[in-house]
Amino acid sequence: ARHRAVAPGLGLLVACAIVAWLLSLGIPALSPLVMGVIVGAVVANTVALPDHMAPGITFGARSLLRVGIVLLGFRLSLGDLAALGSDGLIVVAVVVSVTFIGTQVLARVMGVPGDLGLLVATGYSICGASAIAAVDGVIQADEEETAYAVGLVTLCGTLSIAVLPLLAEPLGLAGEAFGTWVGGSVHDVGQVVATAAQDSEEAVAAATVVKLTRVVLLAPMIALIAFRHRRRDRSERDGTEAAGTAHPPLVPLFVVGFLAAILLRSTGVIPPSGLDAIKTAEKVFLTVALVGLGMSVRLDRLRRLGGRPLVLGLAAWVLVAGTAYVGTTLTP
């Protein structure tokens, strides 16, 4: 009965994900994940979806998202981290920390809602839409705030493809140094490659390693957010909860799976063809999930969030790029 309940909505998500994938082929700056949010929002705001679609859409936006995040872990191995070196790891940690904390401080100063500020901070500091969706799975933010955050990281990531190569020569960056800067400051993996490829293959290699190292930090960040969210909920209940009330897990199961995937990739038992298949499956699951997220968006409510989040997104873009540049120039 449960399978029959989710089938109609899930089928719609898959059909829309195929459309999103095809559209992204014509617009390389927009990954299938981002295009999935756009397609889902367009469908939800132009078509009256029947109620029986809801269970499948919810299943796709929540459960399939977690599967996609686990598969994301297969992109990186412990060997990649070792190749980056201790100096590189320190730079990545500083960039992520400064961007994550600084963006939330800016959000409070600008009066941007707390959950939206947290989503933007995570997206800019880690890996764009995937990180935002992962945090949404923990804090259950408003769909409009989640979509707005995805839109902001997409906008700035797309701008990076055009802007960062123009700044490379004035800033004295080329080759590996330029790639390190790009990997530390651009959000989506596809946008990282598109930006670094305008310099050299050396830049692409450096950018990819630095970027994927940022992705590894998704796990401890999600655990930290889950801990903080759990403590806040406990404080709000202030001892009024009934005995035996379930708490959200301190470390979500999909984060454990994400770390296990990194370890499994590090063993070398998965052949290259298997890793290619997993990478494709990861994109499929995440695209379907983000279509479901897009279908929860209502444009009239999105407009009520106003322009302050846009200013926050641009400020966070400058913050992450500036911090990554300082780290790149200080690294031997």
Side-chain angles (χ1 to χ4, degrees), residues 182-209:
V182 170
S185 57
V186 183
H187 325 303
D188 182 81
V189 175
Q191 294 167 338
V192 166
V193 173
T195 306
Q198 298 179 59
D199 183 278
S200 62
E201 287 298 322
E202 183 184 18
V204 172
T208 302
V209 172

Side-chain angles (χ1 to χ4, degrees), residues 288-306:
V288 172
L290 289 177
V291 170
L293 172 64
M295 286 186 176
S296 301
V297 175
R298 293 297 179 268
L299 295 180
D300 56 339
R301 287 182 284 177
L302 195 61
R303 283 193 294 268
R304 288 202 292 269
L305 291 174

Side-chain angles (χ1 to χ4, degrees), residues 108-147:
R108 285 195 291 270
V109 171
M110 295 179 184
V112 174
D115 283 351
L116 179 54
L118 176 60
L119 292 168
V120 172
T122 308
Y124 278 75
S125 59
I126 301 290
C127 55
S130 301
I132 291 170
V135 172
D136 178 55
V138 173
I139 68 174
Q140 304 293 311
D142 290 341
E143 289 83 358
E144 287 74 23
E145 293 182 347
T146 305

Side-chain angles (χ1 to χ4, degrees), residues 24 128 264:
S24 71
L264 183 57

Side-chain angles (χ1 to χ4, degrees), residues 39-315:
V39 171
V42 169
V43 171
N45 286 275
T46 56
V47 179
L49 297 176
D51 292 340
H52 70 271
M53 293 282 188
I57 293 173
T58 301
F59 173 79
R62 300 296 180 187
S63 300
L64 295 189
L65 167 67
R66 289 162 171 76
V67 176
I69 296 297
V70 170
L71 296 179
L72 186 64
F74 285 99
R75 290 199 179 202
L76 191 69
S77 69
L78 297 179
D80 295 326
L81 296 177
L84 190 60
S86 59
D87 290 337
L89 290 174
I90 292 172
V91 169
V92 170
V94 169
V95 169
V96 170
S97 300
V98 170
T99 304
F100 182 69
I101 297 172
T103 300
Q104 291 184 81
V105 171
L106 290 172
R108 285 195 291 270
V109 171
M110 295 179 184
V112 174
D115 283 351
L116 179 54
L118 176 60
L119 292 168
V120 172
T122 308
Y124 278 75
S125 59
I126 301 290
C127 55
S130 301
I132 291 170
V135 172
D136 178 55
V138 173
I139 68 174
Q140 304 293 311
D142 290 341
E143 289 83 358
E144 287 74 23
E145 293 182 347
T146 305
Y148 206 139
V150 170
L152 289 174
V153 296
T154 301
L155 170 64
C156 292
T158 303
L159 289 174
S160 295
I161 298 174
V163 173
L164 266 58
L166 295 178
L167 296 176
E169 185 175 349
L171 294 176
L173 298 176
E176 183 178 347
F178 178 69
T180 300
W181 182 42
V182 170
S185 57
V186 183
H187 325 303
D188 182 81
V189 175
Q191 294 167 338
V192 166
V193 173
T195 306
Q198 298 179 59
D199 183 278
S200 62
E201 287 298 322
E202 183 184 18
V204 172
T208 302
V209 172
V210 172
K211 173 59 195 171
L212 292 180
T213 304
R214 286 167 66 195
V215 174
V216 171
L217 296 180
L218 176 65
M221 184 167 289
I222 293 296
L224 174 64
I225 292 170
F227 173 76
R228 190 172 70 176
H229 190 67
R230 180 179 182 179
R231 188 173 62 177
R232 187 185 68 182
D233 285 350
R234 182 181 300 165
S235 176
E236 289 174 351
R237 286 191 294 265
D238 195 24
T240 61
E241 61 187 307
T245 300
H247 295 286
L250 180 58
V251 180
L253 185 59
F254 70 89
V255 173
V256 176
F258 173 83
L259 293 173
I262 294 175
L263 295 177
L264 183 57
R265 163 73 186 271
S266 302
T267 65
V269 299
I270 305 176
S273 59
L275 292 175
D276 289 340
I278 291 172
K279 185 176 180 180
T280 300
E282 168 219 314
K283 286 188 175 181
V284 170
F285 279 109
L286 289 178
T287 301
V288 172
L290 289 177
V291 170
L293 172 64
M295 286 186 176
S296 301
V297 175
R298 293 297 179 268
L299 295 180
D300 56 339
R301 287 182 284 177
L302 195 61
R303 283 193 294 268
R304 288 202 292 269
L305 291 174
R308 284 178 295 179
L310 174 59
V311 177
L312 173 65
L314 295 174

